[in-house]
Amino acid sequence: MSKKIKQIAIYGKGGIGKSTTTSNISAALVEAGYKVLQFGCDPKSDSTNTLRDGKYIPTVLDLLREKQKVNAHEAIFEGFKGVYCVEAGGPAPGVGCAGRGIITAVELLKQQKIFEELALDFVIFDVLGDVVCGGFAVPIREGIAEHVFTVSSSDFMSIYASNNLMKGIKKYSNSGGALFGGVIANSINSQYQKAIIDDFTRKTGTQVVEYIPRSITVTQAELSGRTTIEASPDSPQANIYRSLAKKISEHTLSRVPTPLEINELREWSATWADQLLAIESGEVRGEQSGI
């Protein structure tokens, strides 16, 4: 009997640190002895760069443009400590749907039973979360990923994207779609940022999995083309990523979230805007602010 492969999708608004977080999770898991495949689902095809010294790899769509039939092994490359790396790729600029690469790449690897052949413990899909439709919805719509997490800061547009993801999960939950594991709170360096994320998860019936501070250690690692786990293994930031990876590896209880409607989300954000303005102007302090 083959072992159970844990398939996870990590979504997030572009530029929020989703790929950075995902790659450090993958690095921490392989460091702990697991067999991991990271599946990049962003048309920029840069999800796995820091697992491979900053190097790009040919994408599934690149290979299919060159020839009609592709052996899936041609699209799989090894990185840090043997982590497997795949990039779905995107269409030529201005042509076709960016999400199509995800559908094509997932179908190719499933048809050739690559996950089972590699005896993987984890498949981690790194998915652009600005738009949860078409190919970008495949990991949740078809239940390919069992557990979905979102990377979010306390900024409104990041929370807006996370709320949209929750709407997609709720929509597909009745037809066997993936469930929501929680929010990975990124770039959290102040108490008010933490309080905003905490309040959002309370409102949506979800949870924060880990708080990740913004750190120059991450920037230094990425400039050298590596994850923090590889470049600064003894740093506090690396240990935070290890803690996150452990929580995700042990995670079993996902749920259907209760996302906010757009008017509710706007009212909620306006309340926080007023509260932060009051704090900044000195009208409320300490315990009065709830922060």
Side-chain angles (χ1 to χ4, degrees):
M1 184 177 176
S2 60
K3 67 179 178 180
K4 175 75 171 173
I5 303 169
K6 194 167 186 177
Q7 299 190 55
I8 292 161
I10 298 179
Y11 282 76
K13 178 184 175 295
I16 199 60
K18 164 186 55 66
S19 295
T20 298
T21 303
T22 304
S23 294
N24 275 287
I25 291 169
S26 293
L29 289 173
V30 295
E31 181 187 63
Y34 293 106
K35 284 193 169 185
V36 181
L37 183 146
Q38 182 165 316
F39 199 121
C41 299
D42 190 318
K44 296 195 304 297
S45 310
D46 58 358
S47 169
T48 59
N49 285 12
T50 56
L51 292 168
R52 303 192 72 259
D53 296 322
K55 297 171 186 170
Y56 283 80
I57 59 177
T59 71
V60 172
L61 286 192
D62 287 339
L63 294 169
L64 285 170
R65 276 191 281 267
E66 293 173 6
K67 50 188 176 181
Q68 287 188 329
K69 191 170 183 180
V70 171
N71 183 323
H73 288 282
E74 298 175 62
I76 300 171
F77 295 79
E78 288 193 28
F80 174 68
K81 291 189 179 295
V83 61
Y84 295 108
C85 302
V86 174
E87 295 283 357
V95 181
C97 169
R100 184 64 204 169
I102 304 170
I103 299 169
T104 304
V106 168
E107 287 176 352
L108 179 70
L109 269 66
K110 281 178 69 178
Q111 287 169 0
Q112 299 184 25
K113 300 187 184 303
I114 293 298
F115 298 164
E116 294 80 6
E117 181 187 326
L118 296 176
L120 298 171
D121 296 300
F122 293 92
V123 177
I124 303 180
F125 296 91
D126 173 13
V127 195
L128 186 65
D130 294 73
V131 181
V132 189
C133 65
F136 297 110
V138 166
I140 57 174
R141 184 180 67 227
E142 299 183 9
I144 293 170
E146 303 161 273
H147 309 283
V148 176
F149 299 86
T150 182
V151 178
S152 179
S153 70
S154 61
D155 294 339
F156 177 78
M157 290 310 298
S158 176
I159 288 173
Y160 177 84
S162 296
N163 192 66
N164 272 352
L165 172 63
M166 292 179 192
K167 287 182 178 180
I169 291 171
K170 185 176 181 180
K171 175 182 177 180
Y172 297 122
S173 63
N174 292 329
S175 54
L179 298 178
F180 191 68
V183 175
I184 300 167
N186 197 37
S187 296
I188 305 299
N189 286 80
S190 69
Q191 193 59 31
Y192 86 81
Q193 291 172 323
K194 180 178 182 296
I196 290 172
I197 287 286
D198 287 347
D199 194 32
F200 174 65
T201 56
R202 277 193 296 271
K203 291 280 187 183
T204 52
T206 59
Q207 63 178 345
V208 174
V209 183
E210 190 71 81
Y211 302 96
I212 302 174
R214 180 182 292 275
S215 170
I216 194 172
T217 308
V218 177
T219 306
Q220 290 170 329
E222 291 196 326
L223 286 171
S224 70
R226 295 177 292 170
T227 62
T228 304
I229 294 288
E230 180 180 5
S232 301
D234 300 321
S235 66
Q237 192 79 3
N239 286 331
I240 291 170
Y241 286 128
R242 289 187 185 101
S243 170
L244 171 59
K246 186 172 187 294
K247 289 174 182 175
I248 286 178
S249 71
E250 295 174 351
H251 180 85
T252 56
L253 184 61
S254 290
R255 64 193 74 180
V256 178
T258 54
L260 302 176
E261 294 302 323
I262 186 61
N263 60 319
E264 294 175 312
L265 187 63
R266 270 298 177 194
E267 288 172 8
W268 172 82
S269 66
T271 300
W272 270 104
D274 292 342
Q275 189 169 343
L276 293 180
L277 182 62
I279 293 166
E280 188 178 22
S281 63
E283 291 177 36
V284 292
R285 296 181 182 278
E287 294 181 6
Q288 280 182 284
S289 69
I291 297 177

